[in-house]
Amino acid sequence: MKEGKLKNIFVQGSITASFIADSIQKHSSKTGIGGHSIFLGQVRTDEINGKKVAAIEYTSYEEMALQKMHEIREAIFVKYELTCMHVYHSLGKVPAGEICLFVFTSSPHRKAAIEACSELVEKIKAELPVWGAELFEDNSHQWKVNQ
Amino acid sequence: MKTDILLFGQLAEQVGAKQISLEGFSDSETLIKALQQQYPVLSQSKYIVAINQEIISGNTALSDNSIVALLPPFSGG
C-alpha cells in the first residue's frame, strides 16, 4: 500500500501571480541553478455552439493523483539533472483568464529544465486523474476533453 | 465482502452519486456488469478502472474493502 506523506500539488481556486512570484523568489538562495523553466496553464474562453466558457471547475481523485504525481516526479528526477521541481494544479472553480496549472523546473543548465518542464506538462495532462468541467456563462456545462 | 465504488467527473454526474457500496463481488468483471445493469448509462460511457488506485486491464480479483474507481478520460491542466 501507499506509504509516507505525498507532496500536495493541489491549490483551491486560481494560482495567483503573487504565488508564482514568491515561488521564483524562493530560489535565489539556490545559487547552483542556472536556468528555470516555467509552464503556466490558463483557462481559455473557448466558444462552443455560440456559448462562451466562463470558468473551469476541476475535481480529482486526489489520493491517486498525488501518488501518480509522486511516481512522475521520481522518474523525471532520474531522467534529468534537475535542482528542483514544483507542480501546482487548481481544484474547484478557475475563471477564464486565470492560471490553473503551474509547473516549475530548475537546473544548472537550461536544457534539462526546459525538457523536464515540457515532459512534466504532457504527463500531468495525460496521467493525472483530474477532470475539468467547462462552465458556460448561462450556467450550463460540458466536460473538457484534452487534446 | 464489501466493495466501495468511486465515480468521478461526468460518470458521477450521470449516475448521480460519487460513491456506491456493493456486497458480494469477488472480481472486477462481475462487479462492472452489475453496475452497468443498475446504471445503464455506464454502458455508453468511456472510462478506465482502478482498484486501490492502480489502473487495471482485464478481470481482477477483489478483496474485502477494495476501492474500485471508475475514471472517465482525464482532462486536467
Side-chain angles (χ1 to χ4, degrees):
Chain A
M1 289 302 288
K2 323 299 172 198
E3 284 176 19
K5 196 167 176 284
L6 296 171
K7 200 168 174 178
N8 185 33
I9 62 163
F10 292 114
V11 173
Q12 204 59 40
S14 311
I15 298 164
T16 62
S18 62
F19 180 86
I20 294 161
D22 285 347
S23 188
I24 297 167
Q25 184 60 47
K26 280 179 192 157
H27 291 74
S28 61
S29 59
K30 296 189 176 178
T31 53
I33 293 172
H36 300 294
S37 189
I38 289 175
F39 176 83
L40 299 174
Q42 172 166 308
V43 173
R44 182 176 56 240
T45 307
D46 271 345
E47 196 172 320
I48 298 148
N49 300 327
K51 294 197 291 186
K52 279 184 181 166
V53 173
I56 293 180
E57 184 155 26
Y58 291 100
T59 52
S60 173
Y61 184 4
E62 287 184 53
E63 302 93 321
M64 184 177 166
L66 295 182
Q67 177 61 35
K68 188 73 211 173
M69 190 62 234
H70 175 74
E71 291 165 20
I72 294 170
R73 187 188 303 273
E74 297 290 301
I76 292 281
F77 266 123
V78 168
K79 187 169 174 185
Y80 299 98
E81 198 199 336
L82 292 182
T83 311
C84 50
M85 175 195 312
H86 304 278
V87 173
Y88 298 95
H89 194 300
S90 293
L91 287 183
K93 204 187 274 188
V94 181
E98 299 194 8
I99 302 300
C100 55
L101 174 63
F102 172 29
V103 179
F104 184 9
T105 52
S106 312
S107 54
H109 302 281
R110 68 186 181 284
K111 245 185 179 169
I114 292 167
E115 286 170 9
C117 184
S118 173
E119 188 171 328
L120 270 168
V121 172
E122 296 308 314
K123 284 197 149 64
I124 286 163
K125 284 184 163 268
E127 296 176 21
L128 289 194
V130 175
W131 298 274
E134 295 173 316
L135 312 180
F136 296 108
E137 287 164 337
D138 65 358
N139 289 327
S140 61
H141 70 276
Q142 72 165 27
W143 291 90
K144 182 172 176 270
V145 178
N146 276 0
Q147 292 179 2
Chain B
M1 194 164 99
K2 178 170 157 279
T3 309
D4 285 323
I5 299 110
L6 306 179
L7 300 150
F8 294 93
Q10 49 270 59
L11 293 183
E13 188 177 275
Q14 288 160 357
V15 166
K18 288 180 178 173
Q19 188 168 351
I20 302 165
S21 289
L22 291 178
E23 290 277 352
F25 290 93
S26 57
D27 68 86
S28 60
E29 207 172 281
T30 49
L31 175 79
I32 299 290
K33 274 193 188 139
L35 280 169
Q36 286 179 344
Q37 258 179 7
Q38 203 172 340
Y39 305 99
V41 69
L42 290 176
S43 311
Q44 291 127 44
S45 304
K46 203 177 155 194
Y47 57 87
I48 55 172
V49 178
I51 299 177
N52 298 331
Q53 301 178 27
E54 295 289 339
I55 292 166
I56 59 158
S57 56
N59 196 18
T60 303
L62 300 171
S63 46
D64 197 23
N65 292 316
S66 285
I67 297 174
V68 175
L70 307 190
L71 312 171
F74 303 153
S75 57

